[in-house]
Amino acid sequence: MYDATLKQSSLNKFPAQSNRLSWAARATIAFYLPFEKSSANIAPVSFFNLCIRTCLYSSQTECDLEKGLEMRKWVLSGILATEEAYLSHLEALLLPMKPLKAAATTSQPVLTVAQIETIFFKVPELYEIHKEFYDGLLPRVQQWSHHQRVGDLFQKLASQLGVYRAFLDNYELAVETAEKCCQANSQIKLSLYLCLILLLALLYKPVDRVTRSTLVLHDLLKHTPTSHPDHPLLQDALRISQNFLSSINEETTSRRQSLAGKKGENRQLLKDSFMVELVEGTRKLRHVFLFTDLLLCAKLKKQIGGKNQQYDCKWYIPLTELTFQGPEDTEPLAIPQVSDEELDAVKVKISHLRSEIQREKRANKGSKVIDRLRKKLSEQESLLLLTSPSMPLRLFNKNGKSYSFLISSDYERSEWREIIREQQQKCVKTPSLTSMELQMLTSSCLKLQTVHNIPLKDESSGLYGFLNVIVHSASGLKQSLNLYCTLEVDSFGFFLNKAKTRVYRYTTEPKWNEEFEIELEGSQTLRLLCYEKSYNRTKLNKEDGDSTDRIIGKGQILLDAQILQGKDWQRTVIPMNGVEVKLSMKFTSREFSLKRMPSEKPMGVFGVKISTVTKRERSKVPYIVRQCLEEIERRGMEEVGIYRVSGVATDIQALKTAFDTNNKDVSVMMSEMDVNAIAGTLKLYFRELPEPLFTDELYPNFAGGITLTDSVAKESCMLNLLLSLPEPNLVTFLFLLDHLKRVAEKESVNKMSLHNLATVFGPTLLRPAEKDSKIPSNPTQPISMGDSWSLEVMAQVQVLLYFLQLETIPTPDSKRQSILFSTEV
């Protein structure tokens, strides 16, 4: 017999499980519970356990289903909001139509009835269609349940797409009619001008509505069970929408790229991008549009009261009047610099906000919190874009006016110059634009733009670790040149120069065969630039004030962990302007590359405790540290990017072997090597110490001490911790610290500030041994820049920067004498 009491009491035996069970799972258990008392044909306990496992799986599936059904409501709520905004646009467009129609029947009509019908063709019908859709959807969402049906509304809306087709077919005629009316009657210019602008803004709103509805239908189907009554209706609506989009796709593309009107009717958008303009010494965020006949610089207006975004034109130059070379007396550009500390602070905020957004998504706390966080994130990303670039791109108008942009890398600067010069050879002189034509062009930019957001990449899909790159050779050169290559990788959407080959003198087939180890921090792209070296040091490039080294070619490749991960080198060829550069690459993920592994060689120096090495050498500072610093101080203090630019990996390995084997000729080897290889050897030594210079034991205290807000307490804490280091560690650190301060004194030449040096050496000197870290099950899984590791790296940088910024480090008399007066250092 069915025993409800028994079943309820039996369920109570499993409170943890039963609380998670759906109604279907609980019913299944209830059905099988009578077998618990029977022993006739079944093993009751094992069968019951099987039922529990089966039902828990079922409950999880139903939980996912419940979430999917809940998502339907959120998707539809979003549609309601956009529909409301769309209806307000249509209402604004219809506003001038009624008075114009009334005047058309008088003895002095402003416009004829035919003109009115042409200009406002199908707009009232569009309004009625969407008003009916909105009025039908609103009460259903307000009275929401998982069984609520909306498919019929979408099906009906899709069946009326023919109205959009008629609207689009008439659009050019409507604009032409309005423009002629403006020119014919000066008394009505203002009202028709506004009408024309509204029409321009409206043109792709209907198409966008169809596109958005199609995407929403995909989402609704994704979260609608096949058994739900809406499913077949939504499928039908999606089919109709897709067919409509396919039919107008070619026409839409053409319309997006071409602008109607007598002047510039063949004008097309070639390239657009967010850029930083330098205006009277101040950085300004702009959106720059390159058309086939002119360059337009616009500012995105702030949205007020829920209004749509709009662009404000700051200036434009016809391409026939644009040049990159200014007059002889052009003054050098003074670029306002932003400190590295400020930039890092913005990056930390971006990392925090990205982490918070991911946490909120996992917690399903609703869209309002996420929207607020995304707004803050957008503000910080805009700030980073505004403050990061520092490479000038100067433009001159033939009338003498000049404009200056700041670019993040030579690759992008070269890209803009190339496409502008190429188009200048094709275009003809452009007549000056009237104020109305300029306004129409600027308004169209909102729909023509290809870049809709600040171009910061999400580091969650990037790589963290070390990329070994071998630059083999180049082919395809038609004349002998002095050639070298540079390598750039991205981080937070901006590219940094990470490595540079030696100059291969006067050849058509350079064979560098140089290997570099490049640290990646959320990187997604590797760029390579090939330059012709100029040895005329007195001559400067008038275009930007930089050296005259000329870019021969450039190319880039995406960094794919699935392809790069592994023991084997991946060979590739980068084609650029007829020249091909051969590369080999191998990636080591962060989890593998950052582990400190003790050396198995008893007599080496790499991977050996610093106390062991100094005791063996009877010195206060290891010989390798003294030799490297001495050579860098002799000829590397003015090297641009010293310690940041990678040295040739084969040279670094050769020096490593020489120091490990106590080669007496190591000083001769160093004198013949590129100074970046020596700097790389020193960094590798500290990175491979089995325990960091700041020790595993004291590291948590250093990381905690740097967060103290009271300056006196912080100084006391940090100095006491520093003086607690073992003597070899302390003396070596102070020896290195003095050297790094001397490097920073040459910042105006070598571009290495105290903060840059702290960024390079902080993780190297402080990163713990991570003895308990485990190899990930999926080593190619991208690591988010917002995880605790990235914030820990920032803390390591701040600790070293704190000591670099201290003018003096007071030490007790006993240690001071040991450090300053020892002859063994």
Side-chain angles (χ1 to χ4, degrees):
M1 294 293 290
Y2 183 83
D3 190 341
T5 305
L6 170 63
K7 291 170 186 176
Q8 185 58 51
S9 64
S10 298
L11 280 173
N12 291 339
K13 295 178 184 177
F14 305 92
Q17 292 92 332
S18 61
N19 287 340
R20 294 200 303 266
L21 301 183
S22 67
W23 62 269
R26 293 173 68 89
T28 306
I29 295 174
F31 175 79
Y32 284 110
L33 273 174
F35 290 107
E36 190 176 12
K37 293 166 56 174
S38 170
S39 59
N41 300 312
I42 192 166
V45 176
S46 60
F47 187 82
F48 181 71
N49 288 339
L50 176 62
C51 290
I52 286 287
R53 290 195 296 270
T54 303
C55 295
L56 284 173
Y57 175 79
S58 172
S59 69
Q60 184 179 358
T61 304
E62 292 210 6
C63 181
D64 294 339
L65 187 61
E66 292 279 329
K67 287 181 180 178
L69 289 168
E70 186 64 26
M71 280 298 298
R72 278 167 50 88
K73 180 181 179 182
W74 289 110
V75 171
L76 290 168
S77 297
I79 292 180
L80 278 174
T82 56
E83 278 291 315
E84 191 172 345
Y86 182 50
L87 285 170
S88 68
H89 295 311
L90 295 177
E91 285 174 353
L93 185 58
L94 289 171
L95 195 61
M97 188 182 74
K98 293 179 181 179
L100 287 172
K101 270 191 174 182
T105 59
T106 64
S107 58
Q108 292 183 327
V110 178
L111 295 177
T112 66
V113 173
Q115 289 172 331
I116 294 170
E117 289 179 351
T118 300
I119 293 173
F120 297 96
F121 184 70
K122 293 298 179 183
V123 176
E125 288 87 343
L126 287 174
Y127 178 79
E128 291 301 324
I129 287 171
H130 281 272
K131 185 70 167 62
E132 182 183 358
F133 175 73
Y134 178 82
D135 290 343
L137 185 60
L138 180 61
R140 299 193 194 188
V141 175
Q142 289 175 338
Q143 301 169 8
W144 186 254
S145 75
H146 292 335
H147 303 291
Q148 183 67 271
R149 301 184 184 188
V150 295
D152 58 310
L153 297 176
F154 282 93
Q155 190 181 43
K156 184 175 181 180
L157 184 65
S159 68
Q160 296 172 312
L161 288 175
V163 179
Y164 288 105
R165 163 61 68 188
F167 172 82
L168 290 171
D169 290 343
N170 179 74
Y171 172 73
E172 289 188 10
L173 180 59
V175 173
E176 184 182 346
T177 302
E179 193 173 32
K180 284 180 180 179
C181 292
C182 288
Q183 295 169 353
N185 190 341
S186 60
Q187 294 178 353
I188 60 167
K189 271 188 177 180
L190 180 59
S191 61
L192 279 178
Y193 169 73
L194 293 173
C195 173
L196 179 59
I197 297 303
L198 284 167
L199 273 170
L200 281 168
L202 175 66
L203 172 60
Y204 281 99
K205 288 188 182 298
V207 179
D208 285 344
R209 292 307 302 167
V210 180
T211 305
R212 188 176 288 110
S213 296
T214 304
L215 294 173
V216 168
L217 284 169
H218 274 292
D219 289 339
L220 284 176
L221 274 172
K222 178 181 176 182
H223 300 297
T224 302
T226 53
S227 59
H228 196 286
D230 265 351
H231 197 272
L233 299 176
L234 293 174
Q235 272 189 322
D236 187 49
L238 180 60
R239 177 186 57 79
I240 296 171
S241 298
Q242 287 175 330
N243 289 340
F244 176 77
L245 284 176
S246 298
S247 68
I248 66 167
N249 184 54
E250 223 174 276
E251 181 183 340
T252 300
T253 303
S254 174
R255 287 175 187 268
R256 277 184 177 272
Q257 292 182 335
S258 299
L259 303 175
K262 280 187 177 180
K263 298 176 183 176
E265 60 182 3
N266 295 319
R267 182 178 294 131
Q268 292 184 337
L269 179 67
L270 300 177
K271 181 179 176 66
D272 69 298
S273 175
F274 285 99
M275 295 175 71
V276 176
E277 185 184 11
L278 201 57
V279 183
E280 296 179 354
T282 304
R283 295 169 179 257
K284 302 287 185 181
L285 190 58
R286 305 292 194 225
H287 200 148
V288 181
F289 296 85
L290 174 63
F291 293 97
T292 46
D293 61 336
L294 59 85
L295 184 75
L296 185 144
C297 178
K299 172 188 175 183
L300 191 61
K301 293 181 179 179
K302 290 183 179 180
Q303 289 179 270
I304 302 174
K307 291 183 179 179
N308 271 4
Q309 288 183 326
Q310 289 182 325
Y311 279 111
D312 177 28
C313 176
K314 305 306 294 183
W315 51 265
Y316 79 94
I317 311 178
L319 294 188
T320 52
E321 298 178 19
L322 186 152
T323 178
F324 293 103
Q325 189 164 313
E328 291 290 337
D329 58 350
T330 301
E331 293 183 6
L333 191 64
I335 301 174
Q337 298 295 329
V338 180
S339 70
D340 296 309
E341 291 91 334
E342 290 179 73
L343 293 176
D344 260 11
V346 176
K347 291 177 182 178
V348 169
K349 289 179 182 177
I350 290 174
S351 295
H352 274 299
L353 287 168
R354 285 177 176 170
S355 293
E356 285 187 53
I357 289 172
Q358 292 304 317
R359 281 197 299 270
E360 294 298 332
K361 283 182 177 179
R362 289 192 293 267
N364 287 324
K365 290 188 177 180
S367 60
K368 287 186 178 180
V369 176
I370 294 176
D371 287 344
R372 187 166 61 251
L373 289 172
R374 280 178 175 157
K375 183 179 179 181
K376 290 182 180 179
L377 177 62
S378 177
E379 291 171 354
Q380 292 301 316
E381 288 179 338
S382 297
L383 181 60
L384 188 61
L385 173 62
L386 189 65
T387 53
S388 290
S390 59
M391 188 173 287
L393 171 63
R394 304 190 75 175
L395 309 175
F396 298 88
N397 195 321
K398 289 182 179 178
N399 63 16
K401 180 74 173 174
S402 67
Y403 306 93
S404 301
F405 291 105
L406 299 179
I407 309 289
S408 69
S409 79
D410 210 6
Y411 191 101
E412 294 167 34
R413 182 168 64 178
S414 171
E415 217 168 32
W416 276 98
R417 284 177 179 159
E418 285 176 9
I419 191 171
I420 289 174
R421 283 172 173 153
E422 182 182 340
Q423 189 57 30
Q424 282 179 322
Q425 297 175 1
K426 302 176 184 177
C427 69
V428 294
K429 186 174 178 61
T430 304
S432 297
L433 300 180
T434 65
S435 58
M436 178 180 289
E437 288 168 342
L438 183 58
Q439 181 63 48
M440 290 169 59
L441 178 60
T442 307
S443 297
S444 69
C445 288
L446 199 61
K447 287 302 171 186
L448 292 169
Q449 63 181 342
T450 60
V451 179
H452 297 269
N453 301 303
I454 300 299
L456 290 194
K457 299 177 182 178
D458 182 3
E459 274 70 24
S460 63
S461 58
L463 302 183
Y464 289 87
F466 288 88
L467 181 71
N468 285 76
V469 181
I470 301 176
V471 183
H472 293 292
S473 60
S475 59
L477 291 161
K478 296 181 180 179
Q479 57 179 319
S480 296
L481 299 170
N482 301 313
L483 295 172
Y484 68 93
C485 292
T486 63
L487 298 170
E488 298 180 351
V489 294
D490 60 301
S491 178
F492 279 90
F494 300 96
F495 283 81
L496 295 173
N497 182 15
K498 288 286 190 175
K500 177 182 174 181
T501 68
R502 68 183 185 277
V503 179
Y504 214 97
R505 302 292 294 269
Y506 202 67
T507 180
T508 57
E509 295 184 351
K511 294 180 174 61
W512 294 285
N513 290 317
E514 294 182 52
E515 181 184 344
F516 302 94
E517 185 179 69
I518 299 173
E519 187 171 2
L520 304 182
E521 297 175 299
S523 307
Q524 301 176 31
T525 306
L526 172 71
R527 287 176 170 175
L528 184 140
L529 296 97
C530 190
Y531 291 85
E532 177 191 7
K533 178 69 177 176
S534 171
Y535 289 98
N536 187 349
R537 293 185 176 274
T538 61
K539 187 179 178 182
L540 290 179
N541 190 333
K542 291 181 181 178
E543 293 180 355
D544 49 46
D546 290 347
S547 66
T548 54
D549 293 356
R550 181 170 65 95
I551 295 180
I552 300 299
K554 64 185 189 309
Q556 62 183 15
I557 52 175
L558 296 178
L559 300 175
D560 188 336
Q562 298 292 341
I563 296 175
L564 295 174
Q565 189 84 34
K567 296 181 180 179
D568 298 330
W569 289 86
Q570 301 296 320
R571 297 182 69 89
T572 187
V573 175
I574 298 183
M576 44 192 185
N577 300 342
V579 179
E580 290 187 342
V581 177
K582 296 178 181 177
L583 301 178
S584 292
M585 297 185 296
K586 184 170 63 174
F587 170 65
T588 307
S589 67
R590 187 187 73 197
E591 288 76 14
F592 293 97
S593 61
L594 294 187
K595 297 191 78 176
R596 295 183 183 270
M597 303 297 291
S599 173
E600 296 179 359
K601 300 176 182 178
M603 296 305 294
V605 294
F606 282 82
V608 179
K609 287 184 178 182
I610 194 169
S611 57
T612 303
V613 173
T614 53
K615 185 176 180 180
R616 183 201 308 151
E617 295 177 351
R618 297 182 180 178
S619 64
K620 298 291 184 182
V621 176
Y623 175 71
I624 182 175
V625 175
R626 285 180 281 136
Q627 282 293 102
C628 287
L629 295 188
E630 181 182 325
E631 189 65 25
I632 291 169
E633 298 224 0
R634 186 174 70 84
R635 59 188 178 94
M637 300 296 277
E638 296 187 354
E639 180 76 13
V640 175
I642 187 69
Y643 289 120
R644 178 174 56 79
V645 175
S646 299
V648 179
T650 48
D651 289 346
I652 294 173
Q653 288 302 317
L655 282 175
K656 177 182 178 180
T657 301
F659 279 113
D660 267 340
T661 57
N662 197 21
N663 191 324
K664 295 180 180 179
D665 297 327
V666 68
S667 58
V668 177
M669 290 175 62
M670 292 174 71
S671 66
E672 297 173 352
M673 284 187 177
D674 177 59
V675 72
N676 289 312
I678 298 167
T681 303
L682 181 68
K683 290 188 294 181
L684 183 65
Y685 168 73
F686 284 118
R687 198 167 78 223
E688 291 194 357
L689 284 175
E691 183 181 47
L693 201 63
F694 279 57
T695 73
D696 288 329
E697 180 184 357
L698 294 178
Y699 170 71
N701 298 329
F702 279 109
I706 199 63
T707 63
L708 295 175
T709 54
D710 183 272
S711 59
V712 176
K714 179 189 285 189
E715 181 174 345
S716 174
C717 174
M718 297 297 282
L719 289 177
N720 282 329
L721 286 170
L722 184 67
L723 297 176
S724 300
L725 290 174
E727 187 170 351
N729 300 53
L730 175 60
V731 177
T732 301
F733 173 66
L734 294 177
F735 194 74
L736 174 66
L737 192 71
D738 287 340
H739 164 74
L740 295 179
K741 287 181 178 181
R742 287 191 291 274
V743 171
E745 288 173 0
K746 302 278 188 179
E747 180 189 352
S748 59
V749 181
N750 61 35
K751 310 301 181 186
M752 293 302 290
S753 64
L754 289 176
H755 190 277
N756 284 339
L757 293 166
T759 301
V760 171
F761 277 96
T764 301
L765 300 180
L766 281 104
R767 174 179 46 80
E770 301 183 87
K771 295 175 182 176
D772 299 328
S773 64
K774 297 179 180 179
I775 301 301
S777 58
N778 182 10
T780 64
Q781 183 67 32
I783 305 298
S784 169
M785 186 61 187
D787 64 13
S788 59
W789 178 82
S790 63
L791 301 176
E792 192 173 355
V793 168
M794 297 293 186
Q796 293 160 4
V797 171
Q798 290 302 315
V799 169
L800 180 55
L801 182 62
Y802 180 82
F803 291 118
L804 282 169
Q805 291 174 334
L806 285 180
E807 291 187 12
T808 58
I809 296 181
T811 56
D813 290 341
S814 59
K815 288 201 173 184
R816 184 181 301 143
Q817 290 177 1
S818 173
I819 295 167
L820 299 180
F821 300 105
S822 173
T823 57
E824 297 174 336
V825 173

